[in-house]
Amino acid sequence: MSGVSGQSGRDEPDASKRTQRPGRPRKAGQAWRSGSLLSVHSVAGQVFLFQLAVVMLLVAAALVALVVQAQRDVMADARNRTLTAAQTFAHSPGIVAALDSANPTAALQPHVQAARKAADVDAVIVYGLNGITLAHSDPSQIGKRVIGPYAAAATGKPFTSTFKGSLGLSVISAVPVRGPDGSVIAIVSVPVTVETVQQRVNRQLPFLLGGAATALVVAAGGSGLVSRRLRRQTHGLGPTEMTRMYEHHDAVLHAVREGVLIVGGDGRLLLANDEARRLLDLPADTERRHITDLGLDEDLAGLLASDRPATDEVYLAADRLLAVSKRLTAPHGPGGSVVTLRDTTELRALSGRAEVARERLQSLYDAGLRIGTTLDVKRTAEELAEVAATRFADIVTVDLLDPVLHGEETSGAPTGITELRRSAVAGLDAGHLLRPVRELVRLVPAHPVSTAMAEGRPVLVGDLSASDAWRAQQPERARRILDHGIHSMLVVPLRARGVVLGVVDFWRAQGSQPFEDEDVSFAEELAARAAVSIDNARRYTREHTMAVTLQHSLLPRALPEQSALDVAYRYLPAQAGVGGDWFDVIPLSGTRVALVVGDVVGHGLHAAATMGRLRTAVHNFASLDMPVEELLGRLDELVAQIDAEEVAAAEDGQGLVTGATCQYAVYDPTSGRLAIATAGHPGPAVVRPDGTVDFPQLPVSPPLGLGVGLPVETAEFTVPEDSRLVLYTDGLIEDRTRDLDAGLEALRDALAGPGRTPEAICSAVMEAMLSDRPRDDIALLVARTRRLGPDQVAEWEVPRDPAAVAPVRAACARRLAEWGLEQVGFTAELILSELITNAIRYGAEPIAVRLLRTEPVSSPEAGSLIFEVADGSSTSPRLRRAKVTDEGGRGLFLVARFAERWGTRYTTTGKVIWAEQSLHHDATPEAEGLGELLLDQWDDTAL
């Protein structure tokens, strides 16, 4: 009420009057200085007097109750104390002996006096069953007969009673004293006079009266404060004036046809008239609740809770449009505001159209944020369906061309499109009615989808039941769709950069309005934005596919045949793009095998192309039989050269710098030695035959391109037969969810265990280590080691003497006979004699010959013979065609002709010339044709 009357701001001219007309507040300090607080003419005075009377009655009643309760408590305490004292004395040690003594009075009297003082009672009396006092606190009473109701105690039952005896009206307790046989031999009685009890009560009365007085003062003060507060709230009005003011308030607030709200300074609703409740649909318990808790529109609630005035501002409340005016009550009254509401529902149609436009703009804005979050065609189509099914349609389907899903360019005019692929479905029970995802949709003429695709425009079907072309495609499915309540359809083609990508179908079901012409423009705008995102994803898919194709063409397509290792591998490109990880298995001379893993920093075509260059370089360097440290040194120089060329070719001098790591290992099955070097790459793992896992500590050189001129360190160690060598790239062990140490421990757990094949180890590692969306490429190479047995190796020392060739050839023939290879003996002896003769003639001591026989696991009948002749010279022979007049120079030619391959590798003490002869039957030339082959080397006319 104060908030309503605060709108006036005018003062009465007569300030001496105690009251004013209803609704007219006094000036500050005027009303409560002009009358007494105890005036019975004001509501505040009457309330104060009533409260004061009630408080006085309550205090008096409480005082009487306390006095009575105190007296009752003191009497109860007297009974308990006398009974306790009597029982304690009656059962005290030595009392029976004192009673049986010659002079019980002399024995008991000192104890009686002490017990009386200790128990704070008026007397302690001991008397016999004949009623004669044996001991008494008052010695003058000794020997006198006690008169009183002690018969119960004589029978053995203690009792407590109020009795008037020699001490006056007293509370007395009597307890029997029992002898050893249990019979009563005496009685102990303890009295406390009522006068003593009353004195204790009297001592508590000052405290009770003081408490009552204090309570009366506090209550009177509280009543005064309440009345003063009530006087401020009522402005000193009397009951009649208050009644008249309420009548005015009720007439003003509830008779007008405008809503009125009074809001306090704390944002709580103080008052709402009937019209305001109707307009805002307020609940019954509205008052004192915060504005934001009333379920109002967020904008309207924000205005009512703020301190901002307003004039005829339009807000939406349920299905009504309200013109809201707001005025602040300060400084004319307490903090708060008065709000008036006028119903302007006639503007509803205009506001509805504006709200629809706002919602659609908001939907387009949301679509721009939610569609195209990934460069995935299918996911982008799903995002389009989800966004449209939220606000615009009940069901949304997206159909795309197959080339678009695969990232390819679409070909042909829209009229030539006959098939689409269902890519996304969202909405109301769509899976049970429409075609499922991934199903092929065949277009038929005159169908709304065919029309939209052919003409490149939206097609609106307001009533599906009346569309014969739509129902004719699949009558049974169309009937089920109509029975489910789907009644309207809007088809919009997806076009981007002049290319048709597919179509999006919007459906509305029962409970939604059919599509109208106004919906077409919104659907077109939504489809256009989504089409651009789909086309971007398609282009990315195409580029990604090209990069993957390039990368796969540069990686090994099959593992080469060799007998030293049983190898399995895994390669997984990153989800975000193609990287530069690679691996390789390269057979070397002497049954040795090189294992390579590498990683080019970055993703995309540049990383894949660089990876191909480095892999080719490793192959070329490995064909020269370079030591592992020299190969990585040459590769480091190559990467530095590539970086220099990139920088020089860039116009701004900021070309792409290639970062790469590599690990190169060579395994020799004849000795089980492994030579390995690494350039910035994670070290390998070795799974021993018993299943334990070890990560050898290797010297690590800088990554490729950063250590030009610096030597590469090599580690060599022996690997037990049937061990597993595990080489990998950092994408396997490094992940955003774990650090390097945790990755290595996880890899150790995945590798541990004996007896598993390399293929099984690869599967176990990928299952344990692979994340949902790897950020980097992963290359994994697992090789099980084999060893050549003593029966597969033959070695001879050869002196530098031409006559030593024949004994070695004979020994070779015997060994071939032991191996069952007599059919290749002639060719083998020829190759070996030529290599030994070449070493004796041109080489240096020491000269050694080694013959190796390999048997690949994949084909036991196949295999090869390897001839190795080592000498102390570092001069490498070369193949040439001898002149007609030359007597020699044809030895290496014959070796190259009859051997499958041959070459030279350098060692720390010289070189090794080797040749390999295949044991396939069709790979060995017939001995009968050898003469013709030799004769072909001379020109007949020259002879």
Side-chain angles (χ1 to χ4, degrees):
M1 291 183 293
S2 62
V4 176
S5 61
Q7 297 296 317
S8 175
R10 294 178 298 174
D11 300 327
E12 290 295 330
D14 187 3
S16 63
K17 293 184 178 180
R18 179 179 53 82
T19 61
Q20 296 175 298
R21 289 189 302 168
R24 301 290 185 176
R26 301 177 184 271
K27 290 186 178 181
Q30 175 182 335
W32 30 86
R33 285 198 303 266
S34 59
S36 171
L37 178 64
L38 299 178
S39 174
V40 297
H41 298 287
S42 66
V43 174
Q46 295 176 4
V47 169
F48 173 74
L49 294 177
F50 175 75
Q51 287 180 333
L52 188 59
V54 170
V55 169
M56 292 179 66
L57 289 176
L58 292 176
V59 170
L63 180 61
V64 172
L66 289 174
V67 171
V68 173
Q69 183 64 34
Q71 188 170 6
R72 185 180 305 167
D73 292 342
V74 172
M75 290 294 292
D77 177 67
R79 294 189 186 95
N80 293 333
R81 189 146 46 86
T82 56
L83 181 60
T84 300
Q87 288 178 335
T88 301
F89 194 87
H91 296 95
S92 61
I95 189 171
V96 175
L99 291 173
D100 292 339
S101 64
N103 190 357
T105 300
L108 293 174
Q109 188 64 24
H111 299 289
V112 166
Q113 294 291 349
R116 183 191 67 79
K117 295 180 181 179
D120 192 20
V121 293
D122 290 337
V124 175
I125 308 170
V126 181
Y127 52 90
L129 296 180
N130 55 4
I132 301 301
T133 302
L134 301 177
H136 198 293
S137 300
D138 184 6
S140 63
Q141 300 296 326
I142 297 175
K144 295 182 180 180
R145 181 178 297 275
V146 178
I147 301 175
Y150 301 116
T155 62
K157 296 181 180 179
F159 74 93
T160 301
S161 177
T162 303
F163 175 72
K164 187 173 184 182
S166 61
L167 299 177
L169 185 61
S170 304
V171 176
I172 185 169
S173 295
V175 177
V177 179
R178 296 180 183 274
D181 58 352
S183 61
V184 178
I185 60 175
I187 297 173
V188 177
S189 117
V190 177
V192 174
T193 62
V194 174
E195 182 180 359
T196 303
V197 173
Q198 187 62 39
Q199 289 176 356
R200 293 183 179 178
V201 173
N202 293 339
R203 286 197 297 268
Q204 296 181 13
L205 285 178
F207 298 100
L208 296 177
L209 294 175
T214 303
L216 180 61
V217 172
V218 172
S223 300
L225 293 177
V226 172
S227 299
R228 182 177 180 84
R229 177 65 178 173
L230 182 61
R231 182 182 179 84
R232 287 178 178 273
Q233 296 294 329
T234 60
H235 298 281
L237 299 178
T240 303
E241 295 169 323
M242 290 289 294
T243 301
R244 189 185 316 126
M245 184 173 184
Y246 176 80
E247 292 173 351
H248 291 176
H249 156 270
D250 189 68
V252 171
L253 290 182
H254 301 290
V256 297
R257 300 305 301 168
E258 285 190 359
V260 178
L261 301 175
I262 299 178
V263 182
D266 57 354
R268 296 184 180 275
L269 182 63
L270 302 180
L271 185 144
N273 68 347
D274 295 341
E275 183 68 8
R277 294 176 182 272
R278 184 184 70 83
L279 294 177
L280 298 179
D281 193 20
L282 297 176
D285 57 342
T286 300
E287 280 77 5
R288 305 310 303 175
R289 292 175 59 182
H290 200 276
I291 289 296
T292 56
D293 298 335
L294 300 179
L296 303 178
D297 181 77
E298 183 178 355
D299 296 336
L300 178 58
L303 172 65
L304 298 182
S306 68
D307 56 356
R308 178 178 66 87
T311 302
D312 290 336
E313 295 186 5
V314 178
Y315 289 89
L316 183 66
D319 57 345
R320 298 182 179 88
L321 284 177
L322 303 180
V324 182
S325 297
K326 176 182 177 183
R327 295 293 181 269
L328 304 180
T329 58
H332 307 291
S337 59
V338 176
V339 181
T340 59
L341 310 171
R342 287 186 295 107
D343 189 357
T344 58
T345 312
E346 63 274 8
L347 300 177
R348 178 179 180 181
L350 177 60
S351 175
R353 289 193 294 270
E355 181 63 20
V356 170
R358 187 188 69 82
E359 289 182 355
R360 290 183 174 177
L361 288 175
Q362 183 65 35
S363 298
L364 290 176
Y365 174 77
D366 293 341
L369 297 178
R370 296 177 56 186
I371 298 177
T373 58
T374 64
L375 291 174
D376 182 82
V377 175
K378 187 176 183 303
R379 180 55 191 156
T380 304
E382 292 173 351
E383 291 171 345
L384 167 61
E386 292 168 0
V387 170
T390 303
R391 298 184 180 180
F392 182 64
D394 296 320
I395 303 174
V396 180
T397 61
V398 180
D399 304 327
L400 299 176
L401 296 171
D402 275 336
V404 175
L405 291 171
H406 299 146
E408 302 172 0
E409 294 284 355
T410 59
S411 59
T415 55
I417 299 175
T418 59
E419 294 179 346
L420 294 171
R421 183 75 61 181
R422 179 60 48 87
S423 302
V425 177
L428 178 65
D429 297 335
H432 301 288
L433 300 173
L434 306 179
R435 296 178 185 271
V437 176
R438 291 186 295 275
E439 184 173 323
L440 192 64
V441 180
R442 302 185 184 278
L443 304 182
V444 297
H447 192 274
V449 176
S450 301
T451 303
M453 293 289 292
E455 300 180 6
R457 63 174 180 85
V459 175
L460 172 63
V461 183
D463 186 3
L464 287 175
S465 61
S467 177
D468 296 334
W470 175 76
R471 290 187 288 107
Q473 184 178 15
Q474 285 186 320
E476 180 60 25
R477 186 188 295 269
R479 183 188 62 78
R480 289 191 292 113
I481 291 176
L482 293 174
D483 291 344
H484 195 75
I486 299 177
H487 54 76
S488 184
M489 177 184 184
L490 177 58
V491 183
V492 182
L494 294 170
R495 301 174 62 91
R497 303 177 181 95
V499 178
V500 177
L501 307 175
V503 68
V504 55
D505 302 334
F506 304 99
W507 311 76
R508 284 186 179 173
Q510 186 175 2
S512 300
Q513 294 294 329
F515 286 110
E516 301 176 351
D517 293 337
E518 295 180 354
D519 298 320
V520 175
S521 58
F522 172 78
E524 281 187 301
E525 180 65 24
L526 183 62
R529 296 190 179 194
V532 173
S533 298
I534 293 175
D535 190 55
N536 290 337
R538 177 191 64 83
R539 293 181 174 220
Y540 171 79
T541 301
R542 181 185 62 184
E543 294 179 1
H544 181 73
T545 302
M546 292 172 58
V548 170
T549 303
L550 172 62
Q551 186 183 41
H552 285 177
S553 67
L554 297 175
L555 288 172
R557 300 190 178 185
L559 296 178
E561 183 178 350
Q562 44 80 32
S563 59
L565 298 170
D566 179 15
V567 182
Y569 67 92
R570 291 289 189 275
Y571 177 79
L572 183 67
Q575 292 288 339
V578 175
D581 291 15
W582 91 91
F583 65 94
D584 221 329
V585 179
I586 306 173
L588 302 176
S589 62
T591 69
R592 297 173 305 129
V593 179
L595 301 176
V596 189
V597 290
D599 183 7
V600 176
V601 177
H603 296 84
L605 291 175
H606 180 268
T610 303
M611 178 268 292
R613 297 174 68 178
L614 296 181
R615 178 171 178 259
T616 302
V618 171
H619 264 275
N620 293 334
F621 295 150
S623 65
L624 300 176
D625 259 327
M626 290 183 177
V628 291
E629 67 275 6
E630 183 178 351
L631 186 143
L632 284 186
R634 295 290 181 88
L635 202 62
D636 181 61
E637 295 175 358
L638 175 62
V639 173
Q641 182 180 353
I642 293 175
D643 290 344
E645 292 174 355
E646 292 284 349
V647 174
E651 296 180 358
D652 56 356
Q654 300 294 328
L656 294 175
V657 176
T658 302
T661 64
C662 183
Q663 190 171 83
Y664 185 75
V666 175
Y667 174 70
D668 188 351
T670 61
S671 62
R673 297 290 292 175
L674 179 71
I676 185 170
T678 179
H681 201 84
V686 177
V687 184
R688 302 190 180 277
D690 60 357
T692 59
V693 182
D694 184 27
F695 292 94
Q697 296 296 325
L698 305 180
V700 180
S701 300
L704 299 177
L706 302 180
V708 178
L710 298 177
V712 178
E713 297 186 54
T714 305
E716 290 192 23
F717 51 89
T718 301
V719 180
E721 186 178 6
D722 202 33
S723 296
R724 277 72 171 172
L725 302 176
V726 182
L727 282 70
Y728 51 89
T729 56
D730 58 358
L732 182 68
I733 58 175
E734 292 183 1
D735 189 77
R736 68 179 66 185
T737 60
R738 63 188 176 209
D739 56 16
L740 180 59
D741 293 337
L744 289 175
E745 285 302 318
L747 179 60
R748 182 191 298 273
D749 295 338
L751 292 174
R756 290 189 296 176
T757 64
E759 187 68 27
I761 291 178
C762 285
S763 300
V765 169
M766 296 303 287
E767 181 179 358
M769 303 293 294
L770 190 61
S771 61
D772 295 336
R773 295 182 60 86
R775 296 185 302 170
D776 197 3
D777 293 4
I778 295 175
L780 174 66
L781 197 62
V782 180
R784 181 172 60 186
T785 61
R786 299 194 186 98
R787 296 283 286 272
L788 293 181
D791 57 340
Q792 294 178 275
V793 181
E795 295 180 314
W796 301 278
E797 295 291 335
V798 180
R800 192 176 182 185
D801 184 359
V805 177
V808 176
R809 289 182 60 178
C812 174
R814 289 192 299 270
R815 180 53 64 94
L816 292 178
E818 293 174 3
W819 288 343
L821 301 175
E822 295 88 346
Q823 73 276 8
V824 299
F826 181 81
T827 307
E829 292 178 24
L830 175 63
I831 294 174
L832 187 60
S833 63
E834 290 297 336
L835 293 178
I836 296 175
T837 302
N838 184 79
I840 292 175
R841 178 174 298 180
Y842 302 108
E845 291 184 334
I847 300 174
V849 176
R850 186 168 70 166
L851 181 63
L852 306 175
R853 181 193 178 187
T854 65
E855 295 180 354
V857 178
S858 60
S859 178
E861 296 182 359
S864 63
L865 284 176
I866 299 175
F867 311 93
E868 294 184 346
V869 178
D871 65 83
S873 173
S874 60
T875 303
S876 176
R878 59 186 180 88
L879 181 65
R880 66 180 180 88
R881 181 176 292 275
K883 297 179 181 179
V884 177
T885 57
D886 292 342
E887 294 182 1
R890 296 175 179 84
L892 288 182
F893 178 82
L894 293 176
V895 172
R897 177 64 182 83
F898 290 107
E900 186 172 354
R901 56 182 185 146
W902 73 281
T904 304
R905 71 173 181 268
Y906 294 96
T907 65
T908 56
T909 59
K911 67 177 182 297
V912 175
I913 303 177
W914 59 271
E916 183 175 341
Q917 180 184 3
S918 176
L919 296 180
H920 289 281
H921 296 295
D922 55 354
T924 303
E926 296 293 339
E928 291 79 2
L930 181 60
E932 296 181 2
L933 180 63
L934 294 174
L935 292 175
D936 287 342
Q937 305 307 311
W938 285 272
D939 189 353
D940 293 339
T941 58
L943 293 176

